[in-house]
Amino acid sequence: MIIKNSLDEMKKREVSLKVIKSIIATSGRNSLYDLTGLSGGFLAKQEELDILETYIGPAIFEEKLQVLGCEHLGGEKVFAVNRTSSGILATILAIVKEDSYVVHFLPEFPAHPSIPRSCGIVGANYLEFDDIGEFIANFPKYARNVSLLVITGSTMDHKILMEEDFKTAINLAKNENIPVFVDDASGARLRTAIFSQKRATDLGADLVVTSTDKLMMGPRGGLMAGKKDLIDEIKTKAHQFGLEAQPPSVLAMVKGLEEYNEDDLKKSIVKKDELMDLLANDFNSFEKTPTGIMVSEDNLKNEIIFSLKKSDSNFNETNLDKFSNKDFCFLWAMLLLKEEHIVTIPAVSMPGASATVRFDLAANDADRIEVNNLCDKIKNSFNNLLNVIVDEKIAKKILYKNNI
Ligand SMILES: *Cc1c(COP(=O)(O)O)cnc(C)c1O
């Protein structure tokens, strides 16, 4: 294993950011293709930046955010937080009691790490289910001691919860008067735009949080919405610990919401189908996501072994024991960045995030690259990955040195 812990992940991220900087310095921003789908952005105008003072900015932009945020997420009141993770922490700090249970229902494991970590901080018990049958069977056993039901609408890998399961889970909690909080980081847009599902609050959730840089042109940040009394409690708690979004982020959220158009997401569907068809000639392990394609950790390992065995029938799998499945993802992402100038999440992610290598065709930069060209870049970098993993030293250099 090369990347062993959160500290190693931080170092890898720092290297990636240096690489991005030097690519932009030598070849310009347009030589880089950010296909993370977390493009972020700061669409503010000069006159808006001029009024970004500590107390003046919020007076202007928070009111706009109330209107646009309620349109986007529904609910009675919205509240902007520093990140989705901050919204999750603030909610759990405000609502969840020590020794009580937090039950999390999601379409597929793993859960975002901020949910179990936040439960750990308040001393709550955390249970998670990704099978509706098991959830229905187990929920009543704990219901009396459950202080919060968390539902993830779309996972980090963009696996979407079916609307029927959503309703079933919400109704079970409602019958017991348990508050329902939806982690809709990407789901608030993916579920509604691509799958025509209802907003979480319209499905009966009391609270929802979304990430303002996922599939929209906002800043890295979180936007919460829901019942006014609950939002007020969470807001109070968030201010005590500095978890709220600062005025520049609030302004950028307003601009991102103004710019958001779900038709832009729908356009990615045709492109992703084309790319999937092209790649199917050479690969077995790509899967479609709502707006792109991806290779999971386990599938990448299988693809690597399959390719190495194809070129050398005596290839011994134990040669790869130095690497974890995540290492392969991090290495491929780093090669994609250094050699093909394509940014994917494993290169730049925060510790604990999913290592799945995903190419999001709803990303802004996807408009600038032809599907054929992207296919070639993916193939080249994969072939290079096969060369790199024969030598641990070279692999370490790829991950920890900011040479391009
Ligand atoms: C991205 C994501 C988060 C966390 O967002 P941050 O901005 O990194 O805090 C939480 N949950 C899910 C499902 C996500 O996809």
Side-chain angles (χ1 to χ4, degrees):
M1 202 191 294
I2 303 188
I3 302 261
K4 294 191 189 69
N5 48 38
S6 292
L7 185 65
D8 290 346
E9 283 194 60
M10 277 297 296
K11 285 187 199 155
K12 162 225 64 171
R13 177 178 145 86
E14 285 181 3
V15 171
S16 296
L17 296 183
K18 285 196 177 119
V19 171
I20 289 173
K21 182 171 172 240
S22 55
I23 290 175
I24 291 178
T26 47
S27 318
R29 170 66 181 87
N30 280 352
S31 75
L32 199 66
Y33 303 96
D34 178 345
L35 302 184
T36 58
L38 284 87
S39 45
F42 208 96
L43 302 171
K45 301 195 186 81
Q46 189 56 49
E47 65 260 34
E48 290 161 334
L49 295 174
D50 289 342
I51 48 173
L52 268 186
E53 296 158 58
T54 303
Y55 297 112
I56 310 295
I60 310 284
F61 302 120
E62 283 194 11
E63 207 172 291
K64 285 194 174 173
L65 189 69
Q66 284 303 324
V67 177
L68 290 165
C70 284
E71 254 170 48
H72 191 62
L73 296 174
E76 298 165 0
K77 184 168 183 177
V78 304
F79 171 51
V81 280
N82 182 50
R83 271 175 56 187
T84 299
S85 301
S86 324
I88 290 167
L89 175 59
T91 302
I92 290 174
L93 285 175
I95 294 180
V96 174
K97 308 250 167 343
E98 191 177 349
D99 294 329
S100 71
Y101 282 80
V102 171
V103 179
H104 184 194
F105 175 52
L106 67 167
E108 187 180 76
F109 295 139
H112 191 273
S114 62
I115 301 170
R117 282 176 188 159
S118 300
C119 291
I121 287 176
V122 299
N125 305 293
Y126 171 78
L127 293 174
E128 56 183 18
F129 300 94
D130 73 348
D131 177 276
I132 186 71
E134 274 175 37
F135 172 72
I136 294 171
N138 284 285
F139 189 73
K141 295 184 203 162
Y142 301 93
R144 279 185 45 201
N145 289 319
V146 174
S147 52
L148 183 68
L149 171 65
V150 181
I151 301 176
T152 290
S154 161
T155 64
M156 290 181 277
D157 289 342
H158 292 183
K159 177 92 176 175
I160 306 284
L161 191 63
M162 289 192 325
E163 205 174 65
E164 277 314 304
D165 294 346
F166 226 120
K167 287 183 191 158
T168 306
I170 288 178
N171 286 337
L172 274 178
K174 292 272 127 163
N175 291 339
E176 307 281 345
N177 283 323
I178 295 164
V180 178
F181 172 42
V182 174
D183 175 359
D184 234 359
S186 60
R189 285 158 302 289
L190 283 181
R191 288 191 310 102
T192 53
I194 307 286
F195 295 93
S196 307
Q197 290 189 14
K198 292 203 177 89
R199 300 180 298 191
T201 51
D202 296 334
L203 290 169
D206 302 290
L207 291 163
V208 59
V209 63
T210 195
S211 172
T212 55
D213 77 340
K214 288 185 177 160
L215 303 142
M216 63 177 274
M217 278 294 282
R220 183 78 177 248
L223 185 62
M224 301 199 60
K227 300 248 168 72
K228 185 178 174 302
D229 51 342
L230 288 174
I231 290 284
D232 284 342
E233 264 180 68
I234 295 164
K235 191 167 175 176
T236 307
K237 193 61 90 172
H239 284 306
Q240 289 168 1
F241 293 98
L243 300 170
E244 77 280 4
Q246 296 307 300
S249 287
V250 174
L251 164 58
M253 285 180 191
V254 166
K255 305 306 287 183
L257 285 170
E258 280 174 356
E259 199 64 23
Y260 174 66
N261 178 353
E262 63 177 32
D263 292 336
D264 295 339
L265 291 194
K266 289 182 180 144
K267 280 187 216 145
S268 66
I269 298 174
V270 178
K271 251 184 143 172
K272 109 181 155 184
D273 290 342
E274 282 172 18
L275 181 59
M276 188 74 179
D277 288 345
L278 285 173
L279 288 166
N281 297 324
D282 297 273
F283 296 95
N284 305 310
S285 51
F286 277 95
E287 295 171 76
K288 287 185 189 178
T289 71
T291 57
I293 58 165
M294 67 170 202
V295 181
S296 68
E297 289 169 28
D298 294 350
N299 283 351
L300 180 57
K301 166 100 180 261
N302 292 336
E303 185 85 48
I304 288 170
I305 292 173
F306 179 80
S307 306
L308 290 173
K309 284 197 168 154
K310 205 164 61 181
S311 54
D312 171 8
S313 54
N314 292 322
F315 178 77
N316 186 345
E317 283 178 33
T318 55
N319 290 354
L320 298 177
D321 284 354
K322 304 180 274 301
F323 302 102
S324 69
N325 291 8
K326 276 193 164 56
D327 285 339
F328 293 127
C329 294
F330 291 134
L331 274 167
W332 192 20
M334 198 61 102
L335 289 169
L336 278 160
L337 173 60
K338 286 183 170 177
E339 294 174 354
E340 308 297 337
H341 295 191
I342 291 178
V343 187
T344 54
I345 290 175
V348 287
S349 58
M350 308 289 180
S354 162
T356 296
V357 181
R358 182 157 56 77
F359 302 86
D360 202 317
L361 298 173
N364 273 327
D365 288 0
D367 283 345
R368 289 192 285 106
I369 185 162
E370 290 296 325
V371 170
N372 279 306
N373 188 8
L374 180 54
C375 176
D376 289 342
K377 284 173 174 285
I378 291 173
K379 278 194 226 166
N380 286 343
S381 58
F382 182 77
N383 289 334
N384 236 327
L385 176 65
L386 298 181
N387 296 329
V388 162
I389 55 181
V390 298
D391 188 332
E392 196 181 356
K393 268 200 194 124
I394 299 182
K396 279 193 175 150
K397 210 171 140 195
I398 300 279
L399 285 174
Y400 293 130
K401 293 259 182 303
N402 45 314
N403 56 315
I404 312 179

